[in-house]
Amino acid sequence: MTLTQVWGCLLILTMLPTLGAFLQFPWGDRHPWGGLFWDLTLGGLAVLLAQLFFPPYSPWELLSLLALTIGQYWRHRQITYGKILGGLLIHDWQITLIASFLGIVSLTLFRQIRWGTWVILGTIFFALGLRHGAIPGYWVTAIALGAVLGWFNQQTPHNRQLWQLFRPEAGFLTLDRPLNASQVGQDAATLSQLKALGYPVLPGWVLKPGDDLPKFVTFVKPSGDRLYSVRLSSETPAPTFHIPQGPFSTRDDLDTALTQGFSHTPLGKQALIVQNLPNALWSGITYSRPPLPYSRQEPITEAAPGWISPLIIGEGKAPLFYGLESPQAIGEVTPTDQPPLDLLREVAQLSRQLEHHQGSPQAVEWCFTGVNLWILRVRPVYHLHPVWTREWVATHLPQPLSTLSTSLLEVIVPGAIASIYNALGDGRENLSNLTLISHHRGYSYLNRSFWRRIRRRANLHFSDLQSRKARWLFIFRHPVFCYRYLRWERQWYTDFQQNVERLYHPLLKTIRMISRNDLSTLSLVDLVQNVEQITDILELLCTDWIRGEIILWRWRLTTGLTDFLPPLLPQFQHLNQLAIDIRTTLRTQTAALPRDLKPLTRSALFAQLAELPDEENFLGRLNGWLKDYGDGATVPWELAQKRWWEDSSPIRQQLTDLLNHPRTIIPPTALNTTQTKLQALYFCQGEVFSLCETFLAQLRGHFLAIARIWQQRGYLAQAEDIFWLKLSEVKVLITAPQSQEFSRLQLKIQYRRSQWALTQEQGPPPEIIYGQLNIREDVSSSCSLQKLQGQGVSSGSVIGRVCLCPHPEHLPNWGPNDILVTPFLHENFFGHLDAIKGIITTQGGMLSQGASLARQRQIPMVTQVAIALDALQPGQWVRLDGRLGQVELLDPEALSTDAN
């Protein structure tokens, strides 16, 4: 042995065990292909190191792999076959590939990792010995390496870093490894990912179409002492819910469930989740947010002793518990139905954690064995999408709006947002199918789910803009977005001025010329044509205004001037100067007043102005101000609100406030460069909004002109009633007038006015709302003969005929106006719910899958009406209120409905 080979021996026996012990690549189970690549590389480098000092096919090449493996096992008590495979490929790739192929074939035959490992190792080292056995010491080294690897394999039976590329546990996927929804469906993928994060997910297997299902039944060996459940997991949400099958304890039952488990409906990739069921003391379903509007947005839980199947199906009656820290029962609960408070608190907090992780309200199915809490299923609550918020919009629209104003915003705001998104985004989102703004009780809400999805997809975290270092990192991460934004911001005011010259002022001039300041001279056709043109212009102006708000927000955030006091706009500077002049005159010409004026009321101020010699001068200046800037209003977007030139009391009050507390105008020399720039942006934004107010005033005038024509024809009691109609309804009544539509007009207006009065008594609106804001509300003038009380589970109210179905297994014949009455919502009904107007059940809970499906399809539903099958008769007219949980029996002789 030469001196070089001695140094090679030392390196192999010292350096390679150290590398095996301490060099670990942070890939783990989530990226098995990446881990395999680096393991192959490390094993190959170990053999190449031996080839530097020894001749080809030397036993030292096998000893280098042995040293690497011993080092890894010594420190981590595990081995990685990727290193062995990489080294053997460098050592003799032909024998390794042929023997590995034969070994993998045997692995598929045995379908067991332990036996497959022994076959592969034995095949490879036997073949290597036959080919290179003439080299001294080769047989001994090959047998030693194979024996050591086999012994390590016996000591570490759970090591599957290489075998996860195949199928562990007899060749079947398990929830122990992260799975992809595009391969095994959403439910299985979600459970596997949560299990990888450490959540207590009940273990189970995942079977794909084409798997050997009889082989799996043989593998689990159901013998009656263990229970199994089978559930479908699909890539696309199914039109009907798939209730878990089971529990099964015999081989035949499990085999039948597996054979019939896959859906014939095209749902993308499908898989079956098979779980070994524990002995559950309690089971339940928990929503991280309540499915119906509650005063508090806290988790709600439905729990029962034993297994969860009755809760999912909707059989029986299960108690509800509401709250996060101290869940309380809704209604009376017997001691036998009362779960431990600690358990209810734990599942409520778990649901909130999952909501935070998943990014939307979640429904969690769970079971409790007395020791362990297990997650059975986690899915989004679809009917609680999207999430609506009043943040930002509450600053500009603090008050509820009339029906006409809300419908106007729902027409112009989506187009404005789409224009901004297309200018800054990547264009991948189809905004035509999204509702970006909606209203609840007249209050405006924006679609927060849309913005969160955009930010998450583009990985935009705007909170990073608050420090200089974070801003540079933001620019480095999103260079294309920053370039688009800065160009878009720089061109904002230029684009606005071009639109003023090209569109805004010419249209305004044309409208005023046609009407000659008297809209009563125009016909209905001319009025509605002007309304359409003004609406289009308001969409462009709304785009410019929202664009300015975004620019102002960015400047305040990046400059640290978030508390910068917006300057008085030019029109209010004139009003402030008028207040200062009046205050000075009162001090100098009213000797009876003290030197420091006390706060004056509006009536007292104008009473004193009437006694001044300069009264006509001051009132003339005020009237001139109203003539120049009187198109505004306290809430300009509220078309039902009078403009300042129609009702000057708000401006007179503002003048009084400025007189009592005048604003000091900060000279430009007192501002730094950043504050000057920010002030200039405020002035530009004020110019944009002033033009918005002008066109909104014109739009209000046109609607009132239309209303006066209808009033003369007897369609409206008063002109202001038009603001209870939607924009689309006004256009339809003008372009396609129908006598029956006008005959229903007063009833529609009266109903909306009464609903407005009721909703305003409910106090301030919630800041966040989950799910659809608009629900169906049928009203009736018929007296109620009797009321049945149940539990409301799906909001909305409908009027229809009773269709009795005492046996849920058999589908009845129902019509489009029928309300189904049945013990519980059987899965046979799921594919036919679109033909049902409402649902009444004698059993079931709020969180069952049938109730969830009814909410998702916006079908009003009431459960737990115990005497419904006895008290209701086929064909009887009833009114079903799914929010209050009431069923009203109506008098058919006096029945009169309006579906609004």
mmCIF file of all heavy atoms in Angstrom, residues 12-35:
data_model
loop_
_atom_site.group_PDB
_atom_site.id
_atom_site.type_symbol
_atom_site.label_atom_id
_atom_site.label_comp_id
_atom_site.label_asym_id
_atom_site.label_seq_id
_atom_site.Cartn_x
_atom_site.Cartn_y
_atom_site.Cartn_z
ATOM 1 N N ILE A 12 -11.188 8.188 4.308
ATOM 2 C CA ILE A 12 -12.418 7.395 4.224
ATOM 3 C C ILE A 12 -12.929 7.032 5.601
ATOM 4 O O ILE A 12 -14.138 7.097 5.888
ATOM 5 C CB ILE A 12 -12.174 6.141 3.367
ATOM 6 C CG1 ILE A 12 -11.968 6.541 1.897
ATOM 7 C CG2 ILE A 12 -13.323 5.152 3.488
ATOM 8 C CD1 ILE A 12 -11.557 5.391 1.015
ATOM 9 N N LEU A 13 -12.011 6.664 6.503
ATOM 10 C CA LEU A 13 -12.422 6.182 7.824
ATOM 11 C C LEU A 13 -12.719 7.308 8.807
ATOM 12 O O LEU A 13 -13.310 7.038 9.873
ATOM 13 C CB LEU A 13 -11.348 5.267 8.389
ATOM 14 C CG LEU A 13 -11.087 3.975 7.589
ATOM 15 C CD1 LEU A 13 -9.957 3.179 8.216
ATOM 16 C CD2 LEU A 13 -12.358 3.140 7.508
ATOM 17 N N THR A 14 -12.324 8.539 8.489
ATOM 18 C CA THR A 14 -12.566 9.665 9.417
ATOM 19 C C THR A 14 -13.554 10.687 8.851
ATOM 20 O O THR A 14 -14.532 11.060 9.516
ATOM 21 C CB THR A 14 -11.241 10.365 9.765
ATOM 22 O OG1 THR A 14 -10.611 10.809 8.543
ATOM 23 C CG2 THR A 14 -10.313 9.422 10.504
ATOM 24 N N MET A 15 -13.270 11.127 7.621
ATOM 25 C CA MET A 15 -14.101 12.201 7.070
ATOM 26 C C MET A 15 -15.495 11.723 6.697
ATOM 27 O O MET A 15 -16.497 12.399 6.961
ATOM 28 C CB MET A 15 -13.422 12.816 5.846
ATOM 29 C CG MET A 15 -14.160 14.037 5.296
ATOM 30 S SD MET A 15 -13.354 14.760 3.867
ATOM 31 C CE MET A 15 -13.669 13.495 2.656
ATOM 32 N N LEU A 16 -15.608 10.532 6.068
ATOM 33 C CA LEU A 16 -16.915 10.071 5.611
ATOM 34 C C LEU A 16 -17.880 9.769 6.762
ATOM 35 O O LEU A 16 -19.064 10.126 6.681
ATOM 36 C CB LEU A 16 -16.750 8.862 4.707
ATOM 37 C CG LEU A 16 -16.110 9.162 3.328
ATOM 38 C CD1 LEU A 16 -16.027 7.899 2.497
ATOM 39 C CD2 LEU A 16 -16.897 10.231 2.597
ATOM 40 N N PRO A 17 -17.453 9.126 7.860
ATOM 41 C CA PRO A 17 -18.396 8.980 8.983
ATOM 42 C C PRO A 17 -18.839 10.325 9.554
ATOM 43 O O PRO A 17 -20.001 10.470 9.981
ATOM 44 C CB PRO A 17 -17.600 8.161 10.003
ATOM 45 C CG PRO A 17 -16.620 7.408 9.188
ATOM 46 C CD PRO A 17 -16.227 8.335 8.083
ATOM 47 N N THR A 18 -17.916 11.296 9.554
ATOM 48 C CA THR A 18 -18.293 12.629 10.051
ATOM 49 C C THR A 18 -19.343 13.280 9.156
ATOM 50 O O THR A 18 -20.317 13.876 9.635
ATOM 51 C CB THR A 18 -17.049 13.519 10.139
ATOM 52 O OG1 THR A 18 -16.062 12.883 10.959
ATOM 53 C CG2 THR A 18 -17.405 14.867 10.730
ATOM 54 N N LEU A 19 -19.132 13.174 7.821
ATOM 55 C CA LEU A 19 -20.125 13.719 6.903
ATOM 56 C C LEU A 19 -21.470 13.021 7.057
ATOM 57 O O LEU A 19 -22.531 13.655 7.039
ATOM 58 C CB LEU A 19 -19.627 13.584 5.453
ATOM 59 C CG LEU A 19 -18.455 14.480 5.039
ATOM 60 C CD1 LEU A 19 -18.043 14.177 3.606
ATOM 61 C CD2 LEU A 19 -18.821 15.949 5.182
ATOM 62 N N GLY A 20 -21.451 11.715 7.198
ATOM 63 C CA GLY A 20 -22.709 10.997 7.379
ATOM 64 C C GLY A 20 -23.420 11.378 8.653
ATOM 65 O O GLY A 20 -24.658 11.367 8.724
ATOM 66 N N ALA A 21 -22.659 11.719 9.695
ATOM 67 C CA ALA A 21 -23.264 12.044 10.988
ATOM 68 C C ALA A 21 -23.803 13.464 11.039
ATOM 69 O O ALA A 21 -24.870 13.707 11.623
ATOM 70 C CB ALA A 21 -22.239 11.832 12.107
ATOM 71 N N PHE A 22 -23.096 14.417 10.417
ATOM 72 C CA PHE A 22 -23.429 15.826 10.635
ATOM 73 C C PHE A 22 -23.963 16.543 9.397
ATOM 74 O O PHE A 22 -24.510 17.635 9.521
ATOM 75 C CB PHE A 22 -22.202 16.583 11.150
ATOM 76 C CG PHE A 22 -21.745 16.120 12.488
ATOM 77 C CD1 PHE A 22 -20.686 15.221 12.616
ATOM 78 C CD2 PHE A 22 -22.392 16.547 13.641
ATOM 79 C CE1 PHE A 22 -20.265 14.782 13.853
ATOM 80 C CE2 PHE A 22 -21.975 16.110 14.892
ATOM 81 C CZ PHE A 22 -20.914 15.222 15.005
ATOM 82 N N LEU A 23 -23.794 15.976 8.198
ATOM 83 C CA LEU A 23 -24.264 16.645 6.999
ATOM 84 C C LEU A 23 -25.664 16.132 6.660
ATOM 85 O O LEU A 23 -25.827 15.023 6.143
ATOM 86 C CB LEU A 23 -23.304 16.383 5.826
ATOM 87 C CG LEU A 23 -23.630 17.157 4.533
ATOM 88 C CD1 LEU A 23 -23.611 18.647 4.795
ATOM 89 C CD2 LEU A 23 -22.648 16.792 3.434
ATOM 90 N N GLN A 24 -26.683 16.951 6.999
ATOM 91 C CA GLN A 24 -28.077 16.610 6.714
ATOM 92 C C GLN A 24 -28.690 17.740 5.901
ATOM 93 O O GLN A 24 -28.553 18.907 6.248
ATOM 94 C CB GLN A 24 -28.873 16.419 8.020
ATOM 95 C CG GLN A 24 -28.457 15.190 8.804
ATOM 96 C CD GLN A 24 -28.912 13.915 8.136
ATOM 97 O OE1 GLN A 24 -29.973 13.850 7.538
ATOM 98 N NE2 GLN A 24 -28.094 12.876 8.223
ATOM 99 N N PHE A 25 -29.386 17.395 4.823
ATOM 100 C CA PHE A 25 -29.998 18.405 3.974
ATOM 101 C C PHE A 25 -31.434 18.628 4.434
ATOM 102 O O PHE A 25 -32.186 17.677 4.649
ATOM 103 C CB PHE A 25 -29.993 17.948 2.519
ATOM 104 C CG PHE A 25 -28.595 17.763 1.978
ATOM 105 C CD1 PHE A 25 -28.025 16.503 1.882
ATOM 106 C CD2 PHE A 25 -27.852 18.856 1.607
ATOM 107 C CE1 PHE A 25 -26.760 16.334 1.394
ATOM 108 C CE2 PHE A 25 -26.571 18.695 1.115
ATOM 109 C CZ PHE A 25 -26.021 17.434 1.012
ATOM 110 N N PRO A 26 -31.838 19.911 4.578
ATOM 111 C CA PRO A 26 -33.159 20.234 5.164
ATOM 112 C C PRO A 26 -34.293 20.081 4.175
ATOM 113 O O PRO A 26 -34.994 21.014 3.832
ATOM 114 C CB PRO A 26 -32.988 21.705 5.567
ATOM 115 C CG PRO A 26 -32.027 22.257 4.563
ATOM 116 C CD PRO A 26 -31.065 21.117 4.242
ATOM 117 N N TRP A 27 -34.499 18.859 3.712
ATOM 118 C CA TRP A 27 -35.600 18.632 2.777
ATOM 119 C C TRP A 27 -36.784 17.947 3.459
ATOM 120 O O TRP A 27 -37.906 18.364 3.337
ATOM 121 C CB TRP A 27 -35.115 17.772 1.601
ATOM 122 C CG TRP A 27 -34.090 18.489 0.782
ATOM 123 C CD1 TRP A 27 -32.737 18.414 0.906
ATOM 124 C CD2 TRP A 27 -34.333 19.413 -0.280
ATOM 125 N NE1 TRP A 27 -32.123 19.212 -0.002
ATOM 126 C CE2 TRP A 27 -33.084 19.842 -0.763
ATOM 127 C CE3 TRP A 27 -35.479 19.896 -0.886
ATOM 128 C CZ2 TRP A 27 -32.955 20.741 -1.796
ATOM 129 C CZ3 TRP A 27 -35.356 20.787 -1.920
ATOM 130 C CH2 TRP A 27 -34.098 21.206 -2.367
ATOM 131 N N GLY A 28 -36.499 16.916 4.222
ATOM 132 C CA GLY A 28 -37.568 16.242 4.958
ATOM 133 C C GLY A 28 -38.536 15.520 4.049
ATOM 134 O O GLY A 28 -38.271 15.224 2.898
ATOM 135 N N ASP A 29 -39.735 15.268 4.606
ATOM 136 C CA ASP A 29 -40.718 14.467 3.889
ATOM 137 C C ASP A 29 -41.488 15.271 2.847
ATOM 138 O O ASP A 29 -42.152 14.709 2.001
ATOM 139 C CB ASP A 29 -41.718 13.860 4.880
ATOM 140 C CG ASP A 29 -41.022 12.850 5.784
ATOM 141 O OD1 ASP A 29 -39.948 12.372 5.389
ATOM 142 O OD2 ASP A 29 -41.566 12.573 6.859
ATOM 143 N N ARG A 30 -41.397 16.600 2.886
ATOM 144 C CA ARG A 30 -42.208 17.380 1.970
ATOM 145 C C ARG A 30 -41.621 17.385 0.558
ATOM 146 O O ARG A 30 -42.330 17.618 -0.403
ATOM 147 C CB ARG A 30 -42.328 18.828 2.459
ATOM 148 C CG ARG A 30 -43.049 18.958 3.783
ATOM 149 C CD ARG A 30 -43.374 20.389 4.052
ATOM 150 N NE ARG A 30 -44.032 20.540 5.340
ATOM 151 C CZ ARG A 30 -44.529 21.671 5.788
ATOM 152 N NH1 ARG A 30 -44.470 22.751 5.054
ATOM 153 N NH2 ARG A 30 -45.098 21.739 6.960
ATOM 154 N N HIS A 31 -40.310 17.212 0.431
ATOM 155 C CA HIS A 31 -39.666 17.257 -0.871
ATOM 156 C C HIS A 31 -38.778 16.024 -1.034
ATOM 157 O O HIS A 31 -37.558 16.119 -0.995
ATOM 158 C CB HIS A 31 -38.830 18.531 -1.013
ATOM 159 C CG HIS A 31 -39.605 19.778 -0.754
ATOM 160 N ND1 HIS A 31 -40.443 20.331 -1.697
ATOM 161 C CD2 HIS A 31 -39.682 20.568 0.344
ATOM 162 C CE1 HIS A 31 -40.995 21.414 -1.204
ATOM 163 N NE2 HIS A 31 -40.560 21.582 0.025
ATOM 164 N N PRO A 32 -39.369 14.838 -1.197
ATOM 165 C CA PRO A 32 -38.568 13.618 -1.271
ATOM 166 C C PRO A 32 -37.656 13.594 -2.487
ATOM 167 O O PRO A 32 -36.562 13.042 -2.428
ATOM 168 C CB PRO A 32 -39.616 12.505 -1.315
ATOM 169 C CG PRO A 32 -40.865 13.169 -1.792
ATOM 170 C CD PRO A 32 -40.816 14.561 -1.285
ATOM 171 N N TRP A 33 -38.084 14.193 -3.598
ATOM 172 C CA TRP A 33 -37.228 14.183 -4.784
ATOM 173 C C TRP A 33 -35.991 15.032 -4.557
ATOM 174 O O TRP A 33 -34.879 14.673 -4.993
ATOM 175 C CB TRP A 33 -38.004 14.692 -6.002
ATOM 176 C CG TRP A 33 -39.016 13.718 -6.502
ATOM 177 C CD1 TRP A 33 -40.370 13.802 -6.382
ATOM 178 C CD2 TRP A 33 -38.750 12.488 -7.197
ATOM 179 N NE1 TRP A 33 -40.974 12.717 -6.945
ATOM 180 C CE2 TRP A 33 -40.005 11.890 -7.468
ATOM 181 C CE3 TRP A 33 -37.588 11.842 -7.608
ATOM 182 C CZ2 TRP A 33 -40.118 10.676 -8.123
ATOM 183 C CZ3 TRP A 33 -37.706 10.633 -8.279
ATOM 184 C CH2 TRP A 33 -38.962 10.071 -8.530
ATOM 185 N N GLY A 34 -36.134 16.181 -3.898
ATOM 186 C CA GLY A 34 -34.961 16.993 -3.603
ATOM 187 C C GLY A 34 -34.012 16.302 -2.643
ATOM 188 O O GLY A 34 -32.782 16.305 -2.824
ATOM 189 N N GLY A 35 -34.581 15.658 -1.613
ATOM 190 C CA GLY A 35 -33.723 14.912 -0.689
ATOM 191 C C GLY A 35 -33.008 13.761 -1.369
ATOM 192 O O GLY A 35 -31.822 13.491 -1.096
#
